[in-house]
Amino acid sequence: MLVARSVALFAVAALFEIGGAWLVWQGVREHKGWIWIGAGVIALGLYGFVATLQPDGEFGRILAAYGGVFVAGSIAWGVVADGYRPDRYDITGALICLVGMAVLMYAPRGH
């Protein structure tokens, strides 16, 4: 159950962080304005809060593992939101990052 909760929290965190960064990008680079930028900043703040809800209490491990989720999630976001077409190296790299995330978070530890 803890793994399922952790995975769900990583997914929510990815939605807030990647979505927030995308909103800021749209506001600045696509000239959509301060409302988009402000919404992005709020989403980024919510990402920081969601990360604190992970069952593991180690900040460094959580953020390092989230990096793998961020890589894969960013590619998926680009596909859905921007029509990005990842190549086999993008997909392979994202899968490697997810394996790294799983090792960091869910490997058996002797404590």
Side-chain angles (χ1 to χ4, degrees):
M1 187 62 151
L2 283 179
V3 172
R5 178 174 183 251
S6 175
V7 169
L9 286 168
F10 275 129
V12 172
L15 179 68
F16 283 133
E17 187 186 19
I18 298 164
W22 184 81
L23 286 166
V24 171
W25 179 281
Q26 293 296 308
V28 175
R29 298 285 300 254
E30 303 298 327
H31 310 289
K32 292 190 177 178
W34 286 104
I35 299 287
W36 287 66
I37 295 167
V41 168
I42 290 167
L44 288 165
L46 289 171
Y47 149 73
F49 177 76
V50 169
T52 70
L53 302 176
Q54 281 288 343
D56 190 305
E58 297 297 331
F59 175 82
R61 181 178 301 137
I62 299 298
L63 270 285
Y66 177 70
V69 174
F70 180 80
V71 169
S74 295
I75 295 207
W77 188 282
V79 168
V80 172
D82 292 327
Y84 176 66
R85 304 285 300 165
D87 63 22
R88 63 184 173 184
Y89 301 108
D90 293 327
I91 293 168
T92 301
L95 290 173
I96 290 168
C97 290
L98 287 175
V99 168
M101 180 277 293
V103 170
L104 282 165
M105 286 300 297
Y106 311 123
R109 291 190 162 77
H111 51 287

